[in-house]
């Protein structure tokens, strides 16, 4: 009988996070779904070699992930999320993923702790964009 009360209390305490769990909803930052093929950007200077390439849309359990990469010559100059899950971990992870991409200049980047699913989707979409740029 001495153990029944602590076991009951700990069981209820363990179930509270399950009751409060709220799955993320899909949001997109743009209504257009860009194809995973390369498309030249509209650059402001005629001699600019800027090129924008959209990665493929990767479906994850948190929601779809899609990136758009801007290249200046062969260098990655910017990465933008076209689609991402509406989830706090994703919101916190995206700036870290973009910064690592710009530093590494490849899809060989670390996964952000707490946002593994989004990180994996990001890297897959990024690699698709890099492959499309090379084609």
């Amino acid at each position: 009988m001495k153990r029944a009360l602590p076991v009951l209390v700990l069981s209820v305490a363990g179930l509270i996070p399950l009751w409060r769990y709220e799955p993320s909803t899909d949001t997109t930052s743009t209504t257009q779904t860009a194809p995973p093929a390369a498309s030249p950007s509209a650059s402001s200077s005629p001699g600019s070699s800027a090129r924008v390439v959209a990665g493929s849309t990767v479906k994850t359990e948190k929601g779809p992930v899609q990136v758009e990469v801007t290249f200046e010559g062969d260098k990655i100059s910017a990465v933008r999320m076209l689609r991402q899950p509406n989830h706090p971990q994703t919101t916190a992870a995206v700036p870290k993923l973009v910064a690592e991409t710009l530093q590494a200049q490849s899809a060989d980047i670390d996964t952000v702790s707490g946002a593994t699913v989004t990180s994996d989707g990001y890297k897959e979409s990024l690699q698709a964009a890099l492959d499309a740029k090379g084609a």
Side-chain angles (χ1 to χ4, degrees):
M1 189 64 181
K2 284 183 173 183
R3 294 184 198 175
L5 187 57
V7 168
L8 180 62
V9 169
L10 291 173
S11 295
V12 170
L15 291 174
I16 289 174
L18 292 175
W19 291 327
R20 297 193 59 183
Y21 177 74
E22 185 177 324
S24 62
T25 56
D26 173 33
T27 61
T28 57
S29 58
T30 181
T31 56
Q32 295 178 337
T33 303
S39 60
S41 68
S43 58
S44 57
S45 60
S48 176
S49 61
R51 188 167 138 177
V52 178
V53 181
S56 59
T57 301
V58 178
K59 298 200 183 306
T60 69
E61 61 191 58
K62 301 286 185 185
V65 176
Q66 184 181 25
V67 301
E68 178 183 81
V69 183
T70 303
F71 295 93
E72 296 286 338
D74 287 335
K75 184 179 177 192
I76 298 172
S77 61
V79 180
R80 184 172 71 107
M81 294 293 283
L82 294 178
R83 300 183 78 177
Q84 71 184 50
N86 182 17
H87 204 269
Q89 285 91 348
T90 298
T91 304
V94 168
K96 295 175 187 175
L97 292 167
V98 170
E100 280 201 40
T101 301
L102 295 174
Q103 183 179 2
Q105 291 294 303
S106 73
D108 187 20
I109 58 174
D110 290 333
T111 298
V112 175
S113 178
T116 305
V117 172
T118 300
S119 296
D120 291 344
Y122 174 92
K123 290 192 281 188
E124 189 176 331
S125 182
L126 176 63
Q127 186 61 54
L130 295 173
D131 292 345
K133 191 253 181 200

